[in-house]
Amino acid sequence: MMINILLKNFSNTPFGRWSSDGPDNGERFRKEILLPAFKNSDEDILLDLRGISIGIGSSFLEESIGGLIRKEYIAKDEVKKRLVVEADLSFYKNLVDNLINKATPQN
């Protein structure tokens, strides 16, 4: 089994890092969608980025995905192992991989 998360169900226009950037920000996506998926199950997580009407900013992706490691203290290896990204452009898969690799837990 796999948990399927469609970003377009969260927002067709995800934008920004924090709540001050607007309602469809990366912090909210991490806390309300990604974190519960990681905490409440051991299943792999398919993050489907397809069908978004505008480009997805790196700040949104870094706060939502990198934030799992930096702020929620989920092990980098666990995120790498369990998170599967589907996207219209391979650029997004590469970006997510780089963001995961660069993330380090905050003290």
Side-chain angles (χ1 to χ4, degrees):
M1 294 289 296
M2 183 175 281
I3 298 170
N4 293 310
I5 299 173
L6 281 74
L7 181 57
K8 69 180 180 181
N9 287 347
F10 171 76
S11 173
N12 199 34
T13 55
F15 178 80
R17 183 178 289 274
W18 301 294
S19 59
S20 60
D21 296 325
D24 299 335
N25 61 77
E27 179 181 39
R28 182 173 152 243
F29 184 69
R30 179 186 78 241
K31 288 180 176 181
E32 293 180 9
I33 308 295
L34 289 178
L35 183 59
F38 273 91
K39 292 285 189 180
N40 298 330
S41 173
D42 291 331
E43 295 180 44
D44 288 345
I45 300 162
L46 173 63
L47 176 56
D48 191 336
L49 304 178
R50 296 175 291 195
I52 300 299
S53 61
I54 62 169
I56 305 165
S58 59
S59 61
F60 176 89
L61 291 171
E62 199 292 318
E63 187 63 32
S64 57
I65 298 169
L68 290 170
I69 298 161
R70 288 185 301 101
K71 296 180 178 178
E72 309 300 346
Y73 305 105
I74 296 176
K76 186 181 295 193
D77 289 342
E78 181 178 356
V79 176
K80 283 182 178 184
K81 178 183 174 192
R82 293 182 56 202
L83 187 67
V84 178
V85 176
E86 289 292 331
D88 292 327
L89 302 172
S90 62
F91 164 81
Y92 288 117
K93 291 180 185 183
N94 295 334
L95 176 60
V96 168
D97 285 343
N98 287 335
L99 294 172
I100 292 169
N101 287 332
K102 290 179 182 179
T104 57
Q106 291 178 339
N107 294 331

